[in-house]
Amino acid sequence: MNASTLPRPLTAPQISFVELERRRLMDQRAAEFTAEQFAAREPIGADPRVLDFMRRRGGGFISHLAQAWLRADPINSAKLSVAFADKYREFAEQMAAGGQ
């Protein structure tokens, strides 16, 4: 590759346009996660004791997920409960079986 075929660095106006477009797309995706989607996949009620167990006993991802879940507002908590219901149930079963 010679210097004329390399992409030019972004200038300040291009960076702000890219950032604005990224934010617009993120807002669009958030708006697509509607109540109808929650109705199709019912959020589970997350017990803070199970989330703490996940934080203490889970691997790197699960520990961070549980920590985020504990700090999440109700909307984001519901999103997490829909997306990670299987992991939550897995750890709830482990905790119930005496895995404390």
Side-chain angles (χ1 to χ4, degrees):
M1 260 187 173
N2 61 32
S4 63
T5 60
L6 293 174
R8 294 188 340 220
L10 294 176
T11 61
Q14 290 171 316
I15 290 172
S16 62
F17 171 77
V18 170
E19 180 62 20
L20 288 174
E21 185 64 12
R22 184 186 70 78
R23 289 180 185 178
R24 185 189 68 76
L25 289 172
M26 287 177 61
D27 289 343
Q28 179 182 350
R29 288 192 66 194
E32 290 170 357
F33 206 145
T34 62
E36 292 84 23
Q37 289 171 313
F38 278 125
R41 296 178 66 190
E42 188 66 31
I44 57 173
D47 183 342
R49 293 173 298 176
V50 175
L51 294 174
D52 186 56
F53 181 74
M54 289 172 68
R55 186 185 57 78
R56 289 183 287 111
R57 296 294 182 105
F61 176 76
I62 296 297
S63 295
H64 285 87
L65 171 67
Q67 191 169 8
W69 203 331
L70 284 163
R71 295 179 179 186
D73 59 61
I75 292 171
N76 286 321
S77 180
K79 289 178 183 179
L80 290 169
S81 74
V82 169
F84 296 100
D86 58 333
K87 290 296 180 189
Y88 176 87
R89 287 186 188 105
E90 178 185 320
F91 279 88
E93 289 170 6
Q94 286 179 22
M95 191 175 114
Q100 294 265 358

